[in-house]
Amino acid sequence: MIWTSAMLLATIMASISDRVDLSISKINSTTYRNLEKLVSKDSYSLVRTKDLGEFHSKSKCTLLSCLITKKSIFNEEYINLLEIREAYTGFKTGDGSAEIWRRIWEISNEDPLLPILVSGLQFSILTHLSAFHKKFFGTYLPNPTLFQKRFQDKHRLNFYLTYLLVRNCVGNITIDEQEMDEGLSAVIQTIKFQGSTNWVTQSVDLEKTIQRVEEMARLLKHISCEKCQLWGTIQLKGLRAALRVFSGSTNLERLERFFLINLFMRLSVSVKENIRLRRYRAPFLATVALYWMEILSFATSLLMIFLVSKIRNKFKSRITLKSCM
């Protein structure tokens, strides 16, 4: 009887989850393409390192996947976000990130709104690390086992609330006509046409909330992973910009719009990818395939080295034989 009730409850919850996924996915699809085109433009993909605030370019990270390539344009150092996907880097929680997250949660727990938003951001980060886990011949392969192991439904719901808040804030941006970008205008108009839903019902001191987000962003300088610093900084600064709009300051500066739009893009990607990752019926097989490809690549490399060595030795033997004759 208990087992039957549990199965029934699980079926009901799965049905509700599917409806929520479908609803958010439909909303997301209306802006996704225009948003994707928008962030491919230089104005939303190139960022000066000095505009990242306390972003430290000197990383202690020894992993190539943690490092960032920077470019010099007109004697200023830039980072091209199109070349740096938010993905798994191999950076371990024991290298300081767990402590940073602990301190971020300490700060967020002082606020009535931030626990939901931080939970949502953390879920989005997990989604990216799982969806873009290993790069194989230029293509990122997913790790659904990692995602499903860490997945909690309450965090998914918090993520959707975070997505909706950020989306609504993007729709409320006001920009002078001379600064208006056609792509951004299309995104804003689509959101306005659909209308917004304000799920924040209790009174919140948004000035203090914004200050706490700024405090969180300052913690990221202690992470010795450049990519982690980069995307963490962009998303927290984007969240700060969203909260400013939410508080009524809808006329953002150019850099604030940059961070907000890139945060919105990351959340939009997570809407698609988290649904895909949860739909894997046999995640273990996908993970095995993920590492078998690495093994195959390694074995192929060894075989090539062996063949080259054999050919070289054979060539040397012929030269030696000729010299003896």
Side-chain angles (χ1 to χ4, degrees), residues 228-322:
C228 308
Q229 282 187 40
L230 173 68
W231 285 114
T233 299
I234 287 173
Q235 291 179 74
L236 284 175
K237 285 182 177 289
L239 181 59
R240 178 190 180 279
L243 291 170
R244 284 202 65 224
V245 175
F246 192 63
S247 69
S249 302
T250 59
N251 195 359
L252 298 177
E253 296 179 2
R254 184 201 63 80
L255 195 57
E256 290 178 308
R257 291 199 302 272
F258 175 93
F259 291 130
L260 176 56
I261 293 302
N262 273 284
L263 168 62
F264 187 34
M265 184 72 248
R266 300 274 59 77
L267 297 179
S268 298
V269 170
S270 291
V271 169
K272 293 180 63 176
E273 295 299 334
N274 98 85
I275 295 171
R276 185 179 303 172
L277 287 165
R278 287 183 6 252
R279 285 179 177 170
Y280 274 90
R281 297 304 176 194
F284 175 73
L285 294 179
T287 304
V288 169
L290 176 71
Y291 288 102
W292 265 108
M293 287 184 178
E294 286 190 336
I295 294 170
L296 178 62
S297 177
F298 179 70
T300 303
S301 299
L302 286 179
L303 179 61
M304 290 297 294
I305 293 171
F306 174 75
L307 291 174
V308 169
S309 178
K310 290 284 287 184
I311 293 170
R312 185 180 296 171
N313 290 337
K314 191 173 183 180
F315 184 71
K316 284 182 177 179
S317 298
R318 287 184 178 180
I319 293 175
T320 304
L321 183 61
K322 285 183 179 180

